[in-house]
C-alpha cells in the first residue's frame, strides 16, 4: 500500500466526523462502498490510525469468500486480534470466548445468537471507546449480516463506531447484502459513503507518488486506470517490467467474468471487441443469440456490474475490464468478431478500427482516410491527424493505395501535418513536412510553424515558398508568411512592401486567410511603431473577416485581444479573448498555438484586473504534469497566481516544468516567476540565477526584459550588491527605447509602469528611495493592474517613511495592505505586516499579525469547521485553507486549532 493518501481528504473527513461523534457519546455506523481497488481499505486503515491516536480500542475483522461455512468469521477475526485490555474483557464472556481459536463452539441457535449479540454489546460498552471495522461485507455470512444489522440498530449512546466496507461491483441483483444495505442506509445513525474513482489530476498526483514516470507513460497509466488506485499501482509496476496488462490484474478482472453463464460470456466477449461502449442492437446482432437469450445474458452481465446501461447501449464499468476480456479472446475469435462489426457499421472511424483489427488492410486504409477527412470537417484535428497517420502507415502494404484513399500520399501527409499543428504539435507537423517534396505549399507551412517555434530558419523556407509559388494563391500565402518571419529581424524594413504585395495577391485571388495573415502582421507592426489607432483599425478588419481558416481566425482574435490588453483596455480584451476561446473550443483547436495563447491571455486579464479567484479557477485547468510545450506554456502561467498567493503548488509545478526550460517562452515565464518566488522566500541569490536564465531566453529588446530586469534589481537591492545592476537597467532601457527592431514606439500602460518600476528598483539598489519615482510607478500601475499597484505602494511607503513623511507612508501602507488582503496575496501581506511592525504603524499588531484572509479562516476554525468545510464556505482550495491554518497556528504560537481559537477569543480577534 502506498504511503500517501491522495484525493480522499473529503471522504476521510466524513469518516472522522462519525468517529468524533462516537467519541462524544453518539454511536455511529459508516458503510464504505466502492469498486475493488478503489481505496476502501486504505480509508479504513487511515481511520484506524486516527482512532488509535484518539485512544479508541480497535477491532478489525475480515470476511472471506466462504459462504456461510464459518459463521461470525470477521467477529472471531476481530476478537483474536484485540489488544490486552479487550482480551481481558472477552475472557469474562464465555460466549465470545467460544469464537476464539481452541475454544469449543456451542451449537448455533436463535437463542445463542441473541445471547452472543448481547454479550458483544456488553463488551463494547465496557471497553469503549471502540472502533469496530468489518472488511469485505460482500462476502459476509448470514450471521455476520445479522450482527451488522443488530449493531446498527442497538448501539446508540455507547462510544462505539462501526465501519463496514464492501465492493459495489460484486453486489449483483440477487446478492443477499443488497437488501441489508438498503435497510441500513435508511437509519439515521448510518453514514453511507460511496468511494468514487479519482479524477485525472488526483490520479496523476497518486501515480507520481509511486516513483519517477515520464509524462507520456503517466498519461497512459491515468487513462487506463480510470480513477482506480490499485489498477494504477499494478500498471505502474507492469510498465516498469515492460508488460501491458499484468497477469495478477488480468486474473482479478477475469475472475468476475468466469462466473457468468456461457451466453453471458459470449455477449461480453462481443462487447469487448466493440470497445468501451456498444449499442444494444449492434451487440445483439454480433452476438448471434436469440432475443430472449440475449436479453437474459445482458441482464446477468449488468446485474454483476460488468456492463452498465448507457443510453441505448452498454458501457464497460471499467476500461481495463474491456481490455482484459479482449486480450483473453482467441486470435481467430477476435478476427471474426471484428469482421462481424465491420459488416454492420457505417462510421468511417469505427470501420477503420474493425478493418485493421480484422486484418483487412485495404478496408482500413480507405476508412482511415475518410475518417480523417470527416474529423477535419468536424473540427477534431487531433483525431484527424491520428486517422491520416494510420492511413499513411498502411500505404506501402496495400496495392492501389491512392485509389483507396481518394488522394495522393503527398496530399494526405500534408493534411496530416496541418492537423498535427492545429492540435498543438508543431514539432510533429514540421517533422512530417520536412519529409515531403519541396513545394511552395510545403515550404510556406514549414516557415509558418517554424516561426511559431522561434526557429530562425523560418525565413529561408518562406523565401523558398515565394520563389516556387505557381499561382496567385500560393504567392499570397507565401508573401504573408515571409512578411511575418522578417518582422523582428534586421530585415524588418522589407516588411511593409511584402505586406502590400501579399494583400494585392490575396485580394486578386480571393485568398481570405492570406489577406487576414498579412493584416495581422501589419497591425502588429503599427503597434510596435506606436501607431496604436492604426493597429486597432487594421486588426478590426482582420477579425471581422471570415477566412475559412479557423486557425487564422483564432490568430486574429488573439492579436486583437492582446492589443487591447497592452493598451490597458481590459474589458475589451476580455470580451475578444472569450470569443476566441469559445471559437477554439467549438472548432477543436483548444491546444493549437492560438487556442493556447488565448487561454493564457484570458488568465492574465483576470490576474491584472484583480479577479484572482477567477484567475485561480482558470489556472486550476492548466495541467501541472505536462507532456508537451503547449501544456508547459499554460502551466507556467499558473505560477503568476500561485506565487502571488503563496500556494504550496509552486515548487512541485516548477520541478515539473524544469524539463521544458529549453523552450524560450516556458523558460522566460517559469524562471521569471521562480525568481519572484525566491525573493518572497528571502533568497535573492537564487532569484538572480533565475533572472539571468530568463534573460537568456529572450531576444535583445524584447519587452519582457523590462519586467525581468525589475526582478533582478529587486534581488540586488536585497543583497546590497550593485554587481550587474547597470547591465540590467541598460537592457530594460534598450527594450523600452529600441525594441527588437530598433523602431519601438511608445509602450502601453503596463510597459510604461514596468519601465518606471525598473528605474525605481535601480535607484533602490543604489540605496536611494526615490519618493517621486515610486509615486509615479504607483500612478502608472493604477491603470488597472491591482496587484502591482499594491506592491508599488509598499515601496512608496518605505520611501515616504525614509523621507520622514510618516503619515503619508502609513496611508500608502494601509491601502496596500487592504488590497493584499482582498487578493489573498499572502507573501505581500506578510511583507507589509513586517514593514508595519518595524515602522510601528497603528494597527500593525492588533490583529496578531494575521492577514485579512487568515482572520476570516480563524473565525471559521473557531466555529469548529473542518478545512474542507472552510474551503467550501470561502470558495477556495482545501490546500489553501491548510496553508492559512498553519500560518495562524504559527502566528498565534498555538499547537492546536482549539488553542488557536481560545487565544483568538482572549485577544478579541474574532469580532
Amino acid at each position: 500500500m502506498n504511503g500517501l493518501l491522495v484525493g480522499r481528504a473529503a471522504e476521510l473527513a466524513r469518516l472522522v466526523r462519525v468517529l468524533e461523534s462516537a467519541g462524544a457519546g453518539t454511536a455511529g455506523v459508516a458503510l464504505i462502498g466502492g469498486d475493488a481497488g478503489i481505496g476502501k481499505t486504505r480509508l479504513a486503515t487511515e481511520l484506524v490510525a486516527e482512532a488509535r491516536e484518539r485512544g479508541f480500542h480497535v477491532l478489525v475483522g475480515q470476511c472471506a469468500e466462504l459462504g456461510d461455512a464459518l459463521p461470525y468469521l470477521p467477529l472471531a477475526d476481530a476478537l483474536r486480534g484485540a489488544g490486552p485490555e479487550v482480551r481481558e474483557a472477552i475472557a469474562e464472556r464465555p460466549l465470545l470466548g467460544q469464537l476464539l481459536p481452541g475454544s469449543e463452539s456451542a451449537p448455533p441457535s436463535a437463542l445463542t445468537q441473541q445471547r452472543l449479540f448481547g454479550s458483544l454489546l456488553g463488551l463494547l460498552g465496557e471497553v469503549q471507546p471502540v472502533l469496530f471495522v468489518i472488511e469485505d461485507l460482500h462476502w459476509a455470512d448470514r450471521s455476520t449480516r445479522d450482527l451488522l444489522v443488530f449493531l446498527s440498530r442497538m448501539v446508540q449512546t455507547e462510544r462505539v463506531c462501526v465501519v463496514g466496507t464492501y465492493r459495489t461491483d460484486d453486489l449483483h441483483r440477487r446478492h443477499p447484502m443488497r437488501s441489508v444495505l438498503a435497510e441500513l442506509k435508511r437509519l439515521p445513525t448510518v453514514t453511507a459513503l460511496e468511494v468514487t474513482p479519482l479524477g485525472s489530476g488526483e490520479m496523476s498526483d497518486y501515480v507520481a507518488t509511486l516513483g519517477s514516470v515520464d509524462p507520456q507513460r503517466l498519461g497512459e497509466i491515468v487513462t487506463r486506470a480510470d480513477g482506480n488506485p490499485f489498477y494504477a499501482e499494478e500498471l505502474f509496476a507492469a510498465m516498469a517490467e515492460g508488460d501491458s496488462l499484468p497477469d495478477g490484474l488480468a486474473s482479478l478482472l477475469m475472475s468476475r467474468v468466469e462466473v457468468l453463464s456461457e451466453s453471458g460470456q459470449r455477449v461480453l466477449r462481443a462487447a469487448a471487441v466493440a470497445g468501451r461502449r456498444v449499442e444494444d442492437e449492434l451487440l445483439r446482432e454480433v452476438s448471434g443469440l436469440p432475443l430472449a437469450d440475449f436479453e437474459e445474458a445482458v441482464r446477468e452481465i449488468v446485474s454483476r456490474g460488468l456492463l452498465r446501461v448507457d443510453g441505448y447501449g452498454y458501457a464497460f464499468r471499467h476500461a481495463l475490464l474491456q481490455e482484459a476480456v479482449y486480450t483473453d479472446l482467441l486470435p481467430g475469435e477476435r478476427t471474426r468478431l471484428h469482421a462481424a462489426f465491420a459488416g454492420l457499421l457505417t462510421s468511417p472511424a469505427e470501420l477503420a478500427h474493425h478493418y485493421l483489427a480484422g486484418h483487412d488492410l485495404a478496408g482500413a486504409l480507405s476508412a482511415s482516410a475518410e475518417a480523417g477527412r470527416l474529423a477535419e470537417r468536424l473540427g477534431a484535428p487531433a483525431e484527424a491527424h491520428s486517422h491520416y497517420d494510420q492511413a499513411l502507415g498502411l500505404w506501402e502494404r496495400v496495392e492501389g493505395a491512392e485509389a483507396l484513399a481518394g488522394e495522393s500520399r503527398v496530399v494526405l501527409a500534408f493534411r496530416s501535418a496541418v492537423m498535427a499543428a492545429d492540435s498543438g504539435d508543431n514539432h510533429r507537423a514540421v517533422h512530417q513536412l520536412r519529409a515531403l517534396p519541396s513545394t511552395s505549399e510545403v515550404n510556406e507551412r514549414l516557415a509558418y510553424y517554424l516561426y511559431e517555434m522561434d526557429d530562425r530558419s523560418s525565413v529561408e523556407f518562406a523565401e523558398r515558398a515565394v520563389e516556387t509559388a505557381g499561382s496567385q494563391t500560393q504567392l499570397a500565402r507565401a508573401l504573408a508568411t515571409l512578411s511575418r518571419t522578417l518582422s523582428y529581424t534586421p530585415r524588418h524594413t522589407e516588411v511593409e512592401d511584402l505586406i502590400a504585395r501579399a494583400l494585392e495577391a490575396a485580394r486578386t485571388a480571393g485568398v481570405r486567410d492570406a489577406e487576414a495573415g498579412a493584416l495581422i502582421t501589419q497591425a502588429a507592426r503599427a503597434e510596435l511603431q506606436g501607431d496604436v489607432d492604426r493597429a486597432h483599425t487594421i486588426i478590426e478588419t482582420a477579425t471581422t473577416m471570415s477566412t475559412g481558416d479557423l486557425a487564422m481566425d483564432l490568430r486574429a482574435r488573439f492579436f486583437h485581444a492582446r492589443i487591447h490588453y497592452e493598451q490597458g483596455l481590459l474589458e475589451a480584451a476580455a470580451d475578444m479573448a472569450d470569443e476566441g476561446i469559445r471559437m477554439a473550443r467549438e472548432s477543436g483547436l483548444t491546444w493549437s498555438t492560438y487556442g493556447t495563447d488565448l487561454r493564457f491571455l484570458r488568465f492574465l486579464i483576470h490576474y491584472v484586473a484583480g479577479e484572482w479567484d477567477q484567475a485561480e479557477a482558470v489556472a486550476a485547468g492548466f495541467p501541472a504534469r505536462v507532456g508537451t510545450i503547449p501544456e508547459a506554456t499554460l502551466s507556467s502561467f499558473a505560477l503568476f497566481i500561485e506565487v502571488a498567493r503563496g500556494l504550496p503548488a509552486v515548487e512541485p509545478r516548477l520541478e515539473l516544468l524544469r524539463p521544458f526550460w529549453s523552450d524560450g517562452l516556458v523558460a522566460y515565464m517559469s524562471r521569471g516567476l521562480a525568481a519572484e518566488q525566491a525573493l518572497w522566500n528571502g533568497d535573492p541569490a537564487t532569484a538572480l540565477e533565475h533572472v539571468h536564465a530568463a534573460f537568456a531566453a529572450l531576444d535583445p529588446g524584447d519587452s519582457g526584459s523590462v519586467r525581468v530586469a525589475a526582478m533582478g534589481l529587486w534581488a540586488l537591492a536585497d543583497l546590497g550588491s550593485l554587481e550587474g545592476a547597470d547591465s540590467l537597467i541598460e537592457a530594460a532601457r534598450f527594450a523600452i527605447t529600441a525594441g527588437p527592431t530598433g523602431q519601438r514606439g511608445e509602450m502601453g500602460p503596463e510597459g510604461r509602469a514596468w519601465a518606471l518600476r525598473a528605474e525605481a528598483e535601480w535607484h533602490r539598489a543604489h540605496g536611494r528611495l526615490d519618493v517621486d519615482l515610486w509615486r509615479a510607478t504607483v500612478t502608472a500601475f493604477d491603470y488597472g493592474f491591482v496587484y502591482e499597484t499594491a506592491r508599488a505602494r509598499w515601496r512608496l511607503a518605505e520611501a515616504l517613511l525614509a523621507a520622514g513623511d510618516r503619515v503619508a507612508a502609513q496611508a500608502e501602507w494601509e491601502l496596500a495592505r487592504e488590497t493584499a488582503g482582498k487578493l489573498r496575496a499572502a507573501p505581500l501581506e506578510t511583507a507589509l505586516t513586517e514593514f508595519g511592525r518595524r515602522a510601528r504603524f497603528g494597527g500593525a499588531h492588533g490583529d496578531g499579525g494575521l492577514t485579512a484572509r487568515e482572520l476570516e479562516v480563524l473565525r471559521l476554525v473557531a466555529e469548529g469547521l473542518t478545512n474542507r468545510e472552510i474551503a467550501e464556505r470561502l470558495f477556495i482550495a482545501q490546500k489553501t485553507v491548510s496553508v492559512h491554518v498553519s500560518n495562524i497556528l504559527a502566528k498565534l504560537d498555538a499547537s492546536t486549532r482549539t488553542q488557536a481559537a481560545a487565544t483568538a477569543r482572549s485577544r478579541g480577534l474574532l469580532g
Side-chain angles (χ1 to χ4, degrees), residues 488 523-524 526-528 530 532 535-536 557-574 576 597 600-601 604-605 608 637 668-669 702-704 706-707 744-754 780-781 783-785:
Y488 299 99
E527 182 200 18
L528 185 64
V532 177
H536 274 297
R557 279 153 183 78
F558 169 75
F559 273 96
H560 200 170
R562 189 192 60 74
I563 290 174
H564 283 313
Y565 171 81
E566 295 290 353
Q567 297 305 313
L569 305 173
L570 299 183
E571 188 174 342
M576 185 54 62
D597 289 356
F600 76 61
L601 180 59
L604 280 181
I605 295 166
V608 169
F637 275 86
Y668 161 66
M669 293 303 309
D702 191 297
S703 60
V706 185
R707 187 181 193 280
R744 165 79 73 190
E746 186 180 18
M747 300 181 83
E750 184 184 355
R752 295 194 296 271
W754 277 111
F781 274 121
Y783 75 90
F785 204 147

Side-chain angles (χ1 to χ4, degrees), residues 18-19 21-22 25-30 130-132 151-152 155-156 158-163 188-191:
V18 177
L19 188 73
S21 179
T26 302
V29 177
V130 179
L131 170 65
F132 183 13
L151 290 175
S152 300
V155 291
Q156 294 182 10
E158 294 83 358
R159 297 166 65 202
V160 174
C161 178
V162 179
V163 174
T189 55
V190 173
T191 297

Side-chain angles (χ1 to χ4, degrees), residues 379-392:
E383 290 76 9
H385 171 65
S386 177
H387 289 307
Y388 287 145
D389 261 16
Q390 182 165 286
L392 291 167

